[in-house]
């Protein structure tokens, strides 16, 4: 079963809104339910607008799935993974919803990409990337990681890259700190081998995450790492950023 382009655009616009749209006054991101609701209105009506605060009386068999469609799921590989970046997000949506700080920081197409050190076409398939909101990405590339690190603009947002064969034993994670720099941690087998460092800017974070993904022997040399394993072995302390 394949997704319609309309459904794919709703999902893509919803993810963009959650990461780039105007958040809460406290600095949090847009809630997933609101992001998808706004995305649905935008895709179906063809223009952005705020949600109408009110309830409509539902009619008919709303929410009832026909028997012939039950147990069917869209093909993830055939749909989502093949989408271009920000699929379905038009300039009207950016002008209407995008966080002002993100608009000021958005570079032109000519200078958007930082220099890439990866061999052309290199894809890491034995690791996945998860966001703090649970959104997961597969088939990682340096450009994908560079793009997503650029979305770490709010303090407390984080992403984790983990080996699919041993996600709790081998992973690297990064979080934006209130000071504006980045906290990076990686685990190399167990809590006693858990290291932490701080990066000043986005290129340093990208270099660390991508170097870990590709098992580059020199990736650790770019930052000063501290073993915090003894702290994490304390039952009262957390072992992953989201905990």
């Amino acid at each position: 079963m394949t997704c319609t382009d309309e459904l794919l655009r709703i999902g893509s616009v919803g993810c963009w809104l959650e990461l780039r749209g105007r958040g809460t006054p406290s600095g949090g991101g847009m809630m997933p339910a609101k992001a998808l609701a706004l995305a649905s209105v935008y895709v179906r009506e063809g223009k952005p607008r705020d949600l109408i605060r009110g309830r409509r009386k539902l009619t008919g068999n709303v929410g009832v799935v026909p028997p012939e469609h039950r147990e069917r799921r869209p093909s993830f590989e055939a749909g989502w993974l093949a989408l271009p970046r920000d699929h379905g997000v038009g300039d009207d949506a950016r002008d209407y919803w995008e966080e002002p700080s993100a608009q000021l920081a958005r570079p032109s197409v000519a200078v958007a990409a930082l220099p890439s050190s990866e061999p052309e076409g290199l894809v890491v398939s034995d690791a996945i990337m998860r966001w703090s909101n649970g959104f997961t990405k597969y088939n990682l590339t340096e450009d994908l990681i560079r793009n997503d690190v650029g979305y770490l603009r709010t303090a407390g947002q984080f992403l984790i890259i983990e080996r699919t064969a041993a996600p709790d034993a081998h992973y690297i994670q990064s979080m934006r700190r209130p000071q504006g720099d980045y906290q990076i941690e990686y685990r190399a087998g167990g809590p006693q081998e858990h290291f932490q460092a701080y990066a000043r800017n986005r290129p340093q974070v990208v270099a660390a995450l991508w170097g870990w993904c590709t098992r580059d022997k020199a990736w650790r040399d770019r930052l000063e790492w501290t073993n915090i394993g003894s702290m994490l072995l304390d039952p009262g302390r957390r072992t992953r950023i989201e905990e």
Side-chain angles (χ1 to χ4, degrees):
M1 179 180 179
T2 59
C3 291
T4 64
D5 183 65
E6 182 180 69
L7 183 59
L8 290 172
R9 281 186 288 133
I10 290 174
S12 177
V13 174
C15 288
W16 176 85
L17 280 167
E18 193 175 352
L19 294 173
R20 305 282 286 188
R22 293 190 297 271
T24 63
S26 62
M30 186 179 294
M31 294 296 291
K34 180 179 180 180
L36 284 175
L38 288 170
S40 299
V41 171
Y42 173 68
V43 172
R44 296 300 301 272
E45 296 184 358
K47 57 183 180 181
R49 68 169 173 83
D50 292 329
L51 298 175
I52 298 175
R53 296 187 177 276
R55 295 181 178 271
R56 293 183 296 175
K57 184 177 180 180
L58 301 179
T59 59
N61 296 323
V62 177
V64 177
V65 180
E68 64 273 17
H69 290 168
R70 293 172 186 170
E71 304 303 325
R72 300 179 69 196
R73 298 291 186 273
S75 170
F76 184 74
E77 291 77 10
W80 189 260
L81 292 179
L83 291 181
R85 175 184 172 184
D86 298 341
H87 180 60
V89 181
D91 290 339
D92 54 348
R94 297 181 188 277
D95 293 339
Y96 193 84
W97 280 312
E98 191 167 29
E99 185 75 34
S101 59
Q103 287 181 338
L104 292 174
R106 190 172 71 230
S108 66
V109 174
V111 298
L114 298 173
S116 174
S117 59
E118 69 175 73
E120 184 176 358
L122 180 58
V123 176
V124 173
S125 58
D126 67 341
I128 62 173
M129 179 164 58
R130 294 193 296 107
W131 271 85
S132 49
N133 60 12
F135 188 67
T136 304
K137 295 186 178 182
Y138 305 81
N139 298 324
L140 307 183
T141 66
E142 187 177 12
D143 285 338
L144 175 63
I145 291 174
R146 180 181 297 108
N147 177 66
D148 278 32
V149 170
Y151 287 137
L152 288 174
R153 69 185 190 280
T154 301
Q157 281 186 321
F158 64 87
L159 58 83
I160 300 173
I161 302 177
E162 53 195 24
R163 299 293 178 193
T164 53
D168 292 326
H170 295 277
Y171 60 83
I172 189 168
Q173 55 194 10
S174 182
M175 178 180 72
R176 191 72 176 267
R177 300 204 307 162
Q179 297 91 323
D181 61 351
Y182 300 83
Q183 177 179 326
I184 308 175
E185 298 178 10
Y186 78 92
R187 176 168 293 191
Q192 69 279 6
E193 295 295 322
H194 196 104
F195 299 85
Q196 183 183 83
Y198 297 98
R200 296 187 306 274
N201 51 47
R202 175 184 172 194
Q204 288 184 325
V205 179
V206 174
L209 299 184
W210 183 241
W212 181 91
C213 285
T214 59
R215 296 182 171 88
D216 177 10
K217 295 180 179 179
W219 73 269
R220 299 180 189 85
D221 300 337
R222 304 183 182 109
L223 297 171
E224 295 184 8
W225 298 94
T226 302
N227 190 327
I228 59 172
S230 59
M231 180 187 74
L232 300 181
L233 289 172
D234 182 343
R237 307 297 292 270
R238 65 100 177 95
T239 58
R240 304 189 72 157
I241 285 179
E242 74 267 35
E243 297 174 0

